[in-house]
Amino acid sequence: MRRFFSGVGLVLLVVCGIVMAVTFVERLPSNPTALAALGDAWRRLLEYVPLFLPIAVFLGTLLASYNLTKSSESIIVASAGLSPYQVSRPFLIGAALIGIVATTIINPYSVELNSGDITSDHLVLIDDEIWLREASDNGYITMNAKNMHKSGNILLFDNATLYIQTPDFKLTQRVQADTITLSDEGLGASRATIWNSRGIPSESDWHIQTLLNPQTVLDRYLQPDQISFWQLPKFIQKMEQIGVPVRAHLVQFWTLLFLPLTMIAMVTLGVAFSQTRQRRNYSFGIKFGMGVLTCFAVYFLVNMFSALGATGTLPPLLAIIAPPLIIIAGAGVFITSFDTI
């Protein structure tokens, strides 16, 4: 297990270093200081971790197996009568632990770290603009904004126009301001231009009580990967109650929940490609290259199943659990066949 964690750690160090360096250089022009750019690059890196973590676990398995074979330790272990399943048990336990930590700790930490800097780039927009709508017994409130950002517990909407209508859709007020704020107390703006039902404009501070608050807006418009694993079940239940499609959120939830199984599948695939009886391990380089190509093919397969689940072609649970089970079954058959030759 120590060899396994060392191999995975080395691969993660190399990959994270490359991603961190590239992201830092990319974000440097848009940040006032290098320290701010470094913090931005760190947040982006945490977002990318779930993407390359399975590949890192696979390559780490290959690297650990290569080191064991190179030092003849794997030959000694096999000569002692241990089967490949017994030898790979520490790898499997380590992979499951990595998946659990990534799901329960890294994902919530990444979401919390990135939630303090929400902009319109993080939202699912309509025609590249933000639209909010509230319906109640008193009528309707509709707001259009060009951009949005977060300041503490307040949402700020730039270049915003708001329409207030009666229950029979008669327009009673139109409000236009450079910035409209949304807090727990409602919507408000300073030096807003307000048109009444007769079309007469006036300029003054404006405020109205609403059912909307910053959290409900973010819950409605944030993308699935911007919601913590621990908050997803309650969020999905709430969105289903108001009739909002949640297929993508279900895919995200099942992906995080079964991430340990995905890690186990990648370790099993790595063990399958590491099988050899040659003491000098002459063919390991070829197997390593074939394993890397297979890993990217598997990565494409997993993404394809996730897309099918998000579009509703497959049930979300089946779309997430099928690829690792297929990988484990195929790699297990190969390991068994090799062990019985």
Side-chain angles (χ1 to χ4, degrees):
M1 188 178 293
R2 180 177 59 83
R3 292 291 187 95
F4 170 74
F5 281 121
S6 298
V8 175
L10 179 61
V11 174
L12 281 177
L13 184 63
V14 174
V15 176
C16 290
I18 295 174
V19 173
M20 188 78 173
V22 173
T23 309
F24 172 73
V25 174
E26 179 185 6
R27 305 301 298 181
L28 195 58
S30 59
N31 285 274
T33 63
L35 187 61
L38 188 63
D40 197 1
W42 170 250
R43 291 194 294 269
R44 294 293 182 271
L45 176 63
L46 291 177
E47 292 180 359
Y48 298 147
V49 164
L51 299 178
F52 58 74
L53 189 58
I55 298 178
V57 169
F58 174 78
L59 296 179
T61 303
L62 290 181
L63 185 60
S65 300
Y66 170 73
N67 290 331
L68 289 173
T69 303
K70 184 179 179 181
S71 62
S72 299
E73 291 176 82
S74 60
I75 306 297
I76 297 172
V77 170
S79 302
L82 272 71
S83 68
Y85 302 102
Q86 293 173 307
V87 174
S88 60
R89 186 179 302 166
F91 291 3
L92 299 175
I93 295 174
L97 291 176
I98 291 175
I100 292 172
V101 171
T103 296
T104 60
I105 298 178
I106 296 179
N107 172 261
Y109 172 69
S110 174
V111 171
E112 181 180 359
L113 197 63
N114 287 280
S115 62
D117 188 24
I118 297 295
T119 66
S120 60
D121 296 335
H122 297 84
L123 304 181
V124 180
L125 305 182
I126 301 175
D127 296 333
D128 293 328
E129 295 184 356
I130 299 169
W131 289 88
L132 298 180
R133 181 177 173 85
E134 175 191 300
S136 65
D137 295 336
N138 297 326
Y140 303 91
I141 297 176
T142 306
M143 184 173 68
N144 167 250
K146 302 297 182 181
N147 196 6
M148 187 212 79
H149 55 278
K150 187 178 180 183
S151 176
N153 295 324
I154 299 176
L155 295 181
L156 305 175
F157 298 90
D158 299 330
N159 297 326
T161 303
L162 184 139
Y163 305 90
I164 300 178
Q165 297 170 286
T166 62
D168 57 354
F169 301 102
K170 181 181 178 180
L171 184 66
T172 61
Q173 195 175 68
R174 179 162 70 97
V175 180
Q176 188 171 355
D178 294 335
T179 301
I180 292 181
T181 63
L182 175 63
S183 64
D184 292 335
E185 286 74 30
L187 288 163
S190 59
R191 300 185 62 184
T193 303
I194 306 169
W195 286 264
N196 59 22
S197 58
R198 291 174 295 177
I200 300 175
S202 62
E203 186 173 316
S204 65
D205 294 342
W206 172 84
H207 182 269
I208 187 174
Q209 294 284 343
T210 63
L211 299 176
L212 292 171
N213 59 61
Q215 190 58 46
T216 57
V217 171
L218 294 179
D219 285 349
R220 177 66 184 271
Y221 288 91
L222 282 181
Q223 300 178 22
D225 59 354
Q226 296 164 331
I227 304 172
S228 170
F229 168 75
W230 301 110
Q231 298 173 348
L232 271 173
K234 184 177 180 180
F235 172 83
I236 292 173
Q237 183 180 8
K238 183 168 58 176
M239 291 298 103
E240 286 178 337
Q241 291 175 352
I242 63 177
V244 177
V246 292
R247 284 194 301 267
H249 298 84
L250 284 171
V251 168
Q252 175 71 3
F253 174 72
W254 293 123
T255 298
L256 293 173
L257 183 64
F258 288 102
L259 187 59
L261 180 64
T262 303
M263 299 296 104
I264 291 174
M266 300 310 292
V267 165
T268 307
L269 186 65
V271 171
F273 274 92
S274 302
Q275 298 298 298
T276 181
R277 288 191 176 84
Q278 298 179 358
R279 183 178 296 272
R280 297 296 182 180
N281 202 24
Y282 293 113
S283 63
F284 190 83
I286 299 176
K287 289 184 178 181
F288 189 89
M290 293 175 59
V292 172
L293 294 177
T294 304
C295 183
F296 282 103
V298 167
Y299 183 74
F300 171 78
L301 175 68
V302 171
N303 286 341
M304 182 185 70
F305 270 82
S306 297
L308 292 175
T311 57
T313 306
L314 290 176
L317 177 59
L318 178 62
I320 297 305
I321 201 173
L325 292 180
I326 293 173
I327 295 170
I328 292 174
V333 169
F334 180 83
I335 294 174
T336 304
S337 301
F338 186 90
D339 190 45
T340 55
I341 292 177

